[in-house]
Amino acid sequence: MELFLTIFFGLCLFFPLLHLFHCMPWFREEDELVTLSPSTEKGISILVPSYNEAGIIETSIQSMKSLTYENFEVVYINDGSTDETFSILHRHLHLKPSAKIPIGKLAHNNVKKVYQSSLNPNIYVVDKMNGGKADALNAGIEYASKELVVTLDADTVLTAPSLKVINEKFANPEVVAAGGMVHVLQTKTSNPLKKLSLAGTKMLVRVQMLDFMKAFYVTKLSLARFQALAIISGAFGIFSKKMLIDVGGYRSSVGEDIDITLKIHRYIAKQKDKKILLITEAISYTELPETWKDLFKQRIRWQKSYMDCLVHFRSFLSKTVVTKAVSFFYIIESFFVGIVAAYITAGFFVASAFLNIAFVFLGFIIVYLSYIFLFNFIYNLLAIVQVKRYGFTFDKGDRLRLFNTVVYDVFIHRFVTMYFVMYGSVAYFFNRDWKKVSRTGRKYEVEPASAKVTTYRQNV
């Protein structure tokens, strides 16, 4: 038992410590240090799958209109919305029928009609029968005419330099896919490349912001340097269109973002010259849930997504667990340390409470709880420092809010997250459906296209 506890505790400590150090500037890869200056702009198709997005779609439209990149198009895919989504698109874009035709490579539900904006000719709307997000993305790829494909959620807002930075990174022919950085839309300010604000935000939003900071600026950054990034966030992903077609597009599943990332990893497994990046200079903002009900929906879906891909890609992951970093971290860290460890931890506490054997594990429990509280406090502080290192600061009045959020995260939210992991992992085997998170309906300020654009560079 002591040996088991030692191994268990060691694994729980090893991976967070590894990411904590590996995200530091000393371990930057060549892709992060070298900036190519391509003489031409690659064509970029931005795909925005939209199902009942009336509460946020206007913000998305204004965001797309504000982008200053020249060679890009936007394709909204209205996936059988039953609300005012299409009407809002028509009202703001003045849609007219378009002669755009599909490439005929990927299957998807029937497209009723394709439209083009009379006001902004580079914006299109594909109006189709409902088929789910993966199906909508496949339809979008079919009608995309550019070399690169950017996938965004309808509530994601891009910052002005993002497409320029993407063009620079994909000038390297080895890059076939990448994830962008995702910040919280509720914390966006009029200076979205440098300033964040917590004024007016709820604790629930602030603690999710901490989750995103830790995920993107610590864990994902570290994993990307290992070429082990298993999730290109659905909120902001970038792909070679050819690669998306080569892997057969998106699979209809509960987790299309993990699925497409692992598909690409599997496809390039024997191509050592191909890589997947995390582009720290491509910044976006996405809206987060503001109620416990919606947070529960979101996190359970995330966990079901992980389990779905663990099952679907089990052959690839198991065969390459010792040869591919992505498989090693997906199975050893995410499954054993992230999921199995949650059940073991809960089991110890339940056994102690109901079997009155707390004295047997008292030392372990004290040490483990001390680790949880102290280490997670340090982890949160590091994430805040990392965000500052990459050029972002908070308002002075946010210091107390940040401190309160860190305390709440360490003593409460971590255990709530553990519950989400445990519940979602089991729920996957009984119900693989997922429920859409409600939009707040809030109107967000978007910088006008005439605003001065300064290419963001990390401060490291």
Side-chain angles (χ1 to χ4, degrees):
M1 178 62 73
E2 290 183 1
L3 177 61
F4 172 78
L5 292 178
T6 300
I7 295 173
F8 167 73
F9 183 75
L11 285 175
C12 290
L13 184 62
F14 171 75
F15 287 103
L17 275 176
L18 175 66
H19 296 316
L20 189 150
F21 284 104
H22 197 237
C23 73
M24 295 295 185
W26 320 311
F27 298 99
R28 285 176 294 174
E29 294 289 301
E30 183 180 355
D31 297 297
E32 299 173 69
L33 296 169
V34 176
T35 300
L36 300 177
S37 300
S39 57
T40 59
E41 288 186 343
K42 287 182 181 292
I44 299 176
S45 296
I46 300 176
L47 308 186
V48 188
S50 308
Y51 174 72
N52 289 355
E53 300 290 359
I56 197 70
I57 199 71
E58 184 178 343
T59 298
S60 174
I61 295 169
Q62 296 307 317
S63 171
M64 295 301 104
K65 289 181 178 181
S66 72
L67 297 175
T68 56
Y69 194 80
E70 293 294 330
N71 190 10
F72 84 103
E73 66 178 2
V74 181
V75 181
Y76 285 97
I77 306 98
N78 181 43
D79 190 39
S81 296
T82 57
D83 66 356
E84 298 300 311
T85 297
F86 184 79
S87 297
I88 296 172
L89 286 165
H90 183 58
R91 184 165 68 248
H92 286 274
L93 297 173
H94 292 195
L95 299 176
K96 63 181 181 180
S98 169
K100 213 180 213 318
I101 59 174
I103 59 175
K105 297 287 187 180
L106 303 176
H108 54 79
N109 279 6
N110 183 53
V111 170
K112 293 185 285 186
K113 206 162 189 177
V114 180
Y115 300 88
Q116 183 177 18
S117 171
S118 299
L119 302 177
N120 303 87
N122 66 325
I123 301 182
Y124 298 85
V125 174
V126 174
D127 190 26
K128 64 181 288 293
M129 303 296 290
N130 179 259
K133 188 175 181 181
D135 190 80
L137 286 167
N138 284 340
I141 297 167
E142 279 285 301
Y143 286 91
S145 62
K146 306 297 184 180
E147 180 180 354
L148 300 180
V149 168
V150 170
T151 61
L152 300 180
D153 284 344
D155 61 347
T156 299
V157 173
L158 285 182
T159 54
S162 296
L163 299 186
K164 181 177 183 295
V165 173
I166 289 169
N167 185 55
E168 293 173 354
K169 296 298 182 182
F170 276 78
N172 180 352
E174 295 180 353
V175 179
V176 295
M181 305 301 276
V182 182
H183 284 259
V184 178
L185 190 54
Q186 288 95 325
T187 69
K188 183 176 175 289
T189 68
S190 58
N191 191 355
L193 296 175
K194 291 185 178 180
K195 202 78 169 177
L196 302 172
S197 175
L198 299 179
T201 57
K202 301 177 181 179
M203 175 62 79
L204 191 60
V205 171
R206 297 202 296 267
V207 77
Q208 291 177 80
M209 178 204 69
L210 274 183
D211 284 344
F212 270 55
M213 288 164 57
K214 288 182 287 187
F216 282 89
Y217 286 93
V218 180
T219 308
K220 284 179 179 288
L221 185 56
S222 172
L223 289 172
R225 289 172 177 175
F226 283 120
Q227 276 298 293
L229 189 63
I231 308 173
I232 293 177
S233 174
F236 184 14
I238 311 106
F239 308 89
S240 156
K241 180 184 174 183
K242 182 180 183 302
M243 178 57 64
L244 290 176
I245 294 171
D246 287 346
V247 300
Y250 287 80
R251 175 176 65 96
S252 181
S253 70
V254 70
E256 71 289 327
D257 49 358
I258 308 179
D259 182 79
I260 196 66
T261 311
L262 290 179
K263 266 189 173 183
I264 294 173
H265 272 292
R266 183 174 62 186
Y267 187 83
I268 65 173
K270 296 181 180 180
Q271 304 177 46
K272 294 183 179 180
D273 60 329
K274 302 301 181 184
K275 59 181 65 177
I276 298 173
L277 304 181
L278 181 69
I279 306 178
T280 56
E281 297 153 304
I283 308 297
S284 70
Y285 285 81
T286 197
E287 190 176 68
L288 296 188
E290 295 190 359
T291 67
W292 279 105
K293 180 180 179 180
D294 282 329
L295 179 62
F296 179 82
K297 290 180 191 175
Q298 183 191 68
R299 296 303 174 92
I300 297 306
R301 183 207 171 188
W302 288 359
Q303 194 58 33
K304 286 182 178 180
S305 300
Y306 171 84
M307 294 301 298
D308 181 69
C309 288
L310 180 67
V311 172
H312 184 76
F313 291 95
R314 61 188 181 278
S315 177
F316 165 69
L317 293 170
S318 60
K319 289 178 180 178
T320 59
V321 67
V322 295
T323 59
K324 292 294 176 184
V326 64
S327 301
F328 175 79
F329 282 99
Y330 201 89
I331 292 179
I332 306 301
E333 180 185 20
S334 298
F335 180 67
F336 285 106
V337 176
I339 298 177
V340 175
Y343 288 106
I344 293 174
T345 301
F348 276 125
F349 287 107
V350 170
S352 298
F354 290 95
L355 301 180
N356 196 29
I357 57 173
F359 66 93
V360 177
F361 304 115
L362 184 60
F364 165 77
I365 291 172
I366 292 174
V367 172
Y368 188 63
L369 284 178
S370 299
Y371 150 73
I372 288 177
F373 296 140
L374 178 60
F375 188 80
N376 280 282
F377 188 79
I378 294 172
Y379 213 84
N380 276 301
L381 292 182
L382 171 71
I384 294 170
V385 171
Q386 274 286 92
V387 170
K388 184 176 181 180
R389 180 176 285 128
Y390 279 83
F392 291 91
T393 59
F394 287 91
D395 291 332
K396 290 183 179 179
D398 287 334
R399 291 175 182 174
L400 182 58
R401 296 186 187 101
L402 272 174
F403 177 78
N404 291 339
T405 306
V406 169
V407 172
Y408 174 80
D409 180 62
V410 170
F411 289 97
I412 298 176
H413 190 68
R414 173 177 174 80
F415 297 99
V416 175
T417 301
M418 186 182 296
Y419 167 74
F420 289 151
V421 168
M422 295 169 64
Y423 183 96
S425 298
V426 173
Y428 166 75
F429 294 99
F430 296 92
N431 181 0
R432 299 181 187 181
D433 295 334
W434 60 278
K435 296 181 180 179
K436 181 180 172 63
V437 174
S438 302
R439 305 303 186 198
T440 65
R442 187 179 294 113
K443 304 297 182 184
Y444 294 95
E445 178 184 354
V446 176
E447 291 65 43
S450 59
K452 181 180 179 181
V453 177
T454 302
T455 302
Y456 164 76
R457 297 296 176 201
Q458 58 196 43
N459 181 27
V460 292

